[in-house]
Amino acid sequence: MTTHPSPISDPTAAEMHWSRWGDPAEAGPLAESAFALVDTFIGTRETPAVAPADVRLTEPLAADLVAELAEIVGAAHVLTDHETRLHRTRGKSTPDMLKIRSGDGSDSPDAVVRPANHDEVVALIDWAVRRHVALVPFGGGTSVVGGLAARRDGFAGVVSLDLLRFDKLVEVDRDSMTVVLEPGLRGPAAEALLAAEGLTLGHFPQSFQYASIGGFAVTRSSGQSSAGYGRFDSLVVGLKVATPQGTLELGNSPANAAGPDLRELVMGSEGAFGVVTAVRVRVRPLPEVRTYEGWRWPSFAEGAAAMRTLAQAGMLPTVLRLSDENETAINLAKPSEVGGESAGGCLMITGYEGTPAAVEAKKAAVTALLAGLGGENQGPDSGQAWADGRFHGPYLRDSLLDVGVLVETMETVTFWSNLDHVYTAVKDALVASLGAETLVLCHISHVYETGASLYFTVATKASEEPLPQWLAAKAAASDAMVHNGASITHHHAVGQDHKPWLAEEIGPVGVEMLRAVKERIDPTGVLNPGVLIP
């Protein structure tokens, strides 16, 4: 049995780079093997970003409005300088990166305000309504669906409501195994606070190092350990929300029959209905053991069938994911080895967490089932290589953008019976849009008894106009998802980018329901205008 440390990193890590993902010290140039692969198949050219001082931001918020904000939160917590606003401009999608790297900061906030408590958030919302200023809640800035680029038409300005100071573990209920966390806590800081109590959330999406607790909730996030711990929305038992109509407090019991569950309305709302100021979540004991393994399957279809068998037998490990033939061939599951030699087939990663006895029992049962279905156990090395690089994928995108390669990810979810059909349709749509010299890779990242998610990575040579090039491909792939019975998103949320397809997915009655909630709870439309609502 191999015991490994917690996957959390430094809980005091600095915020993300203005034009790249995460910590620039983590993002060096492409490894020689990766560069050779990309240069041969796609071609490369240098495409550096402009200097930060050359990014064109909006004009700062008017002085009288800044003074009014200072009266609410204190002058030290209202910022209009170029650097602070630059770091709160948009999220981290490839379109966001292409714009900011070219010097386009037209979606920047006019000011950044940092409240310290619920009452200050309520006061800020009241002020925004009176002054007709758009408020964009900001947690970690990891949105990849246009969730932080507010529509500014008709507003007196746009203010980033930065929840950085909401960084506390408020309450621990050991009998109920729940805790109350503030929404500005980043993933590593939250896990560090919980670890000191012998607890864990077990929520580790790829954005974990920079995403926030509030962001996890309002985007219905799903982590890499969801097979064992569940999606973040399944962990949420209570919420406190500031809205233009007052405070909404939800979750006085673990379950009830008191009408539709309004927690579900808040989760996935992306700040359009209110600002989450506290989240009560269920937690688990900090695992004594973490261990990972790799499995080899002859084909993606055979590996997917094995995953379905595990899910429907109630035998899911903590981590379960499967790379298709292309993703396995270039070693994308192991970012430090991209372009290196691969053993072929399809790589599956299994992971187990808990007490030594529980891990041994689950691992033995899963191993027997997978081996009986034709899987080949690769031992711990490939599993641990994935675990060691699990948060590094976005850095690879930055390195590729630097050499003129357009890279982006997208995800969807459908029923098992439709999985192969959607997989083929999305791949075909991307190649038809971007051309034959396009790499389309995929893995199954999350599984359920009834279906699974597909997570695609796309790489192609950037044209002289890469933004419209990608937007056309994104539209083609999104059409392929929704027109073939899949969802427009499994865990990236809606933002602005997915709105047209959300309207198709939920239909006209669903659209009217969302609009009605928005119009009643936020009649002046100041809360993150432009996101979610078709």
Side-chain angles (χ1 to χ4, degrees), residues 410-414 418-433 440 454 456 471-489 501 504-505:
M410 57 179 61
E411 36 75 61
T412 186
V413 60
T414 191
N418 196 38
L419 195 73
D420 184 64
H421 179 64
V422 172
Y423 170 70
T424 301
V426 174
K427 287 179 63 177
D428 288 349
L430 287 166
V431 172
S433 177
V440 182
L454 293 167
F456 296 90
L471 294 179
K474 170 78 170 179
S478 298
D479 284 344
M481 292 173 188
V482 174
H483 296 167
N484 286 283
S487 175
I488 188 57
T489 180
W501 295 277
E504 289 191 58
E505 184 169 330

Side-chain angles (χ1 to χ4, degrees), residues 239-308:
L239 293 160
K240 187 173 184 179
V241 189
T243 84
Q245 305 305 317
T247 297
L248 178 65
E249 295 196 61
L250 302 167
N252 63 354
S253 58
N256 61 62
D261 190 342
L262 296 182
R263 289 173 299 189
E264 295 290 339
L265 188 64
V266 175
M267 290 188 293
S269 64
E270 303 180 52
F273 300 150
V275 179
V276 172
T277 59
V279 185
R280 182 180 292 276
V281 288
R282 62 187 180 98
V283 290
R284 313 285 177 83
L286 192 67
E288 299 174 41
V289 172
R290 289 184 172 92
T291 187
Y292 307 94
E293 286 187 334
W295 287 79
R296 186 76 55 183
W297 296 88
S299 70
F300 194 49
E302 290 169 276
M307 297 176 98
R308 175 168 55 85

Side-chain angles (χ1 to χ4, degrees), residues 125-217:
I125 293 175
D126 289 345
W127 171 87
V129 170
R130 291 196 314 272
R131 289 300 198 178
H132 205 59
V133 172
L135 283 182
V136 182
F138 187 98
T142 61
S143 171
V144 292
V145 291
L148 296 172
R151 177 177 56 80
R152 62 172 55 242
D153 295 346
F155 291 98
V158 174
V159 168
S160 175
L161 199 162
D162 189 349
L163 296 167
L164 185 70
R165 298 169 70 199
F166 280 76
D167 59 357
K168 300 173 186 63
L169 169 59
V170 178
E171 176 188 319
V172 177
D173 181 346
R174 292 189 177 275
D175 289 339
S176 306
M177 286 299 281
T178 67
V179 301
V180 177
L181 299 168
E182 290 191 327
L185 276 168
R186 306 282 173 87
E191 282 292 335
L193 289 170
L194 292 173
E197 302 287 339
L199 303 170
T200 184
L201 266 173
H203 186 71
F204 303 113
Q206 193 171 61
S207 61
F208 166 75
Q209 293 173 307
Y210 294 94
S212 68
I213 293 296
F216 292 152

Side-chain angles (χ1 to χ4, degrees), residues 23 55 59-60 88 133 148 164 232 234 266 282 305 335 337 345 358 364 388 402 422 472 491 521:
D23 180 356
V55 179
E59 289 297 314
R88 295 295 178 268
V133 172
L148 296 172
L164 185 70
F232 193 81
S234 72
V266 175
R282 62 187 180 98
E337 300 177 30
D388 292 342
D402 288 340
V422 172
H491 56 269
I521 201 74

Side-chain angles (χ1 to χ4, degrees), residues 492-513:
H492 281 172
V494 176
Q496 296 200 45
D497 297 354
H498 288 159
K499 283 197 303 179
W501 295 277
L502 176 67
E504 289 191 58
E505 184 169 330
I506 64 178
V509 174
V511 169
E512 287 305 311
M513 291 174 71

